[in-house]
Amino acid sequence: MIRQYWLIKKAKEVGSDHFDYKFYTGKVATAIYYLRNVVPNVWAVAEIVIDGDTSAIDVPVDVFEY
């Protein structure tokens, strides 16, 4: 995230007339999406892993044969 902060700072420094402005703007949008949509799910996934549900692997192999 520190790198993303640097990109935000760089985007502001170069200005909208710079050839890399769109690139930096895209990087900032990607970082915002990641923070809003991916990071919050990390805690839910961690809880699922910690729970240790083995129901999917406890099924006998025979159920997959047809």
Side-chain angles (χ1 to χ4, degrees):
M1 294 286 92
I2 292 172
R3 204 177 291 173
Q4 300 305 324
Y5 167 77
W6 178 83
L7 288 172
I8 292 170
K9 185 178 175 189
K10 187 72 173 172
K12 289 180 181 179
E13 287 175 8
V14 298
S16 60
D17 57 337
H18 192 273
F19 71 94
D20 269 346
Y21 181 77
K22 290 181 182 179
F23 170 77
Y24 290 121
T25 303
K27 294 295 266 181
V28 169
T30 300
I32 291 169
Y33 173 85
Y34 183 80
L35 286 171
R36 289 183 180 166
N37 296 287
V38 176
V39 171
N41 294 328
V42 168
W43 306 119
V45 171
E47 287 180 20
I48 292 168
V49 170
I50 290 170
D51 182 35
D53 182 16
T54 60
S55 60
I57 59 175
D58 291 339
V59 177
V61 176
D62 299 346
V63 300
F64 299 106
E65 296 175 3
Y66 54 95

